[in-house]
Every structure is written in C-alpha cells, then in structure tokens.
Amino acid sequence: MADKFERHILQSWGTNATAWTDAVRNKTIASRAEVTNRAIIDAVLALKPQSVLDIGCGEGWLVRALAGHASRLVGVDATEALIDQARQSGDGEFYTARYEDISQCLSDQRFDVAVCNFSLLGKESVEVLLAAIPRILNDGGHLVIQTLHPRNACGDTPYRDGWREGSWKGFSRDFCDAPPWYFRTLESWIALLTRSDLALYHLLEPFFPDTQQPASLILVAEPTDRR
C-alpha cells in the first residue's frame, strides 16, 4: 500500500506540473507569498552557504531566489516536466532523479546546504533520502527542511504518524488528483533525523502576522559525526 501512495505522489506532480508552475510564478499561494518563501530563504542564507542543493526543487523558484547568494546552485526533482521549466527559467544546474537515486546521481558532489522546501511528502522515499544526506554534505554542512506545521496540518485527525488524503483546497481549478502525503508529528520528525545520523541544530516556526499562528515548521540539522 505504501508503494501505491509513493507512486501516486509522483503521478500527481507530473499531472499538475503546469498548474504548479503557474501558481508559483503568479504568486497565487497565499502562505508562500506572505510567509514561507521568505522564511526558507532566510533560513538558508543564515548558514552562509557557497553551494546549495534544492531537493524537490519543482520549477526552480528557490534556486532563482538564491541566485547571487551562492556560487553554486543545484536543483533536483523527480518530475521531468518541472525540471524542464526550471532549466528554461533561470540560472542553476538541474537534474531529474527520484529521492531514492539522489545519492547515486550526485555521488561525486558535496554541498554546504541541502534544502527540502515542502518537498518531503512520502514515507519510505523520505527515509531513504534523509539517510543519504550526510554523504552529500560538506564538512560543516546543514540540511534545512520546511514542512507543514504538525499542529495545523493534523486538523481534526489523531495526532499520530500516518498517510493522509491530499487536497488542493485554496488552489485553482487547474489542479486535480491531489497527492497523498505522510503526516509526521514533531517528535517523529526529530526521531527520523536521529535515525538518519542527523542532529537538530535549529528549529523555527514562521507565523502568519495577522493570526500569529504557525505557517510552517523549519528544521535545520547537521550530521551527528561532528558532535
């Protein structure tokens, strides 16, 4: 069943690649425009990286946003249609690869920062990816994850790990076939980092200025072998 969910995620992003590109570039996603875009940029720049790997880069907006702030910017995504959009729209290197294949695809490359911006939707694929992160970071490197805040994302369902139905609520009618996603509690996120030989370095909770409610959760981690 889990494999079915993971396949559905990839299929959905392939189907919605054009709609997603339009939504990001036209700034129609309110939470991103108001809070979370700036939050992830600031979290990455605070680490002063010279090289950045954007995992699940989509149509490449974060690579474009970081242009001029790092000497090397690389994006990777499993959806070829999104990588095509990224290559056409700005500077940076872009590769198509599933999360399970990233360490092999980038086997001879290392980065100061690896960033996953709302791109960790699966279960097994995410576990495999995070286990590989220490091998693709430079000495002193960090992983930066921005994800839905568990407090808000849980909704009325029980606060425990598990697959959830996807939704494009708040998006345009151009979107269809919402992908499932795997919910993790805060405790589970930190435990997953630990199993992946990563230690929590910093935690941020960007909030909406009008409601003072969390818009997202940002986890900054570093390999445990430096501690």
Side-chain angles (χ1 to χ4, degrees):
M1 182 64 73
D3 287 344
K4 177 182 177 182
F5 290 145
E6 298 274 4
R7 289 195 300 272
H8 190 181
I9 291 170
L10 295 177
Q11 291 167 0
S12 176
W13 282 104
T15 300
N16 291 286
T18 297
W20 179 256
T21 299
D22 291 344
V24 171
R25 295 183 182 177
N26 292 326
K27 300 180 179 179
T28 63
I29 307 171
S31 60
R32 292 172 66 104
E34 294 173 13
V35 183
T36 63
N37 281 0
R38 187 71 253 169
I40 194 65
I41 292 169
D42 289 346
V44 171
L45 293 183
L47 299 169
K48 300 182 175 158
Q50 287 303 304
S51 56
V52 178
L53 173 65
D54 183 9
I55 301 172
C57 67
E59 51 72 62
W61 84 268
L62 183 55
V63 168
R64 296 193 301 275
L66 295 173
H69 295 284
S71 58
R72 186 168 183 233
L73 298 164
V74 177
V76 61
D77 200 284
T79 303
E80 183 67 44
L82 289 171
I83 289 294
D84 287 343
Q85 293 284 355
R87 286 172 175 155
Q88 294 169 20
S89 66
D91 296 331
E93 305 169 41
F94 295 97
Y95 302 92
T96 304
R98 293 165 61 106
Y99 286 179
E100 299 90 329
D101 302 325
I102 283 177
S103 61
Q104 181 177 356
C105 174
L106 303 171
S107 60
D108 59 343
Q109 303 183 49
R110 300 290 183 273
F111 300 87
D112 295 332
V113 168
V115 55
C116 303
N117 186 49
F118 294 113
S119 59
L120 300 183
L121 301 180
K123 183 180 186 296
E124 287 84 357
S125 61
V126 171
E127 293 167 357
V128 171
L129 171 65
L130 293 195
I133 291 295
R135 299 194 295 274
I136 59 176
L137 290 177
N138 285 323
D139 291 342
H142 292 86
L143 168 67
V144 181
I145 296 169
Q146 181 164 224
T147 187
L148 296 174
H149 198 290
R151 171 181 168 178
N152 292 350
C154 183
D156 296 327
T157 59
Y159 188 71
R160 60 172 181 261
D161 292 6
W163 285 99
R164 305 289 171 89
E165 291 185 7
S167 172
W168 291 121
K169 183 179 179 180
F171 288 77
S172 76
R173 294 182 179 178
D174 295 331
F175 287 86
C176 63
D177 187 30
W181 59 285
Y182 193 78
F183 173 82
R184 289 180 172 85
T185 65
L186 179 56
E187 179 182 359
S188 182
W189 273 115
I190 295 173
L192 176 56
L193 292 175
T194 300
R195 294 198 305 273
S196 305
D197 294 325
L198 295 160
L200 186 64
Y201 172 80
H202 195 32
L203 184 151
L204 300 163
E205 297 175 287
F207 59 86
F208 292 104
D210 53 345
T211 65
Q212 300 292 295
Q213 294 298 311
S216 67
L217 174 70
I218 296 179
L219 304 168
V220 183
E222 60 183 2
T224 54
D225 62 5
R226 349 179 158 150
R227 296 194 168 195

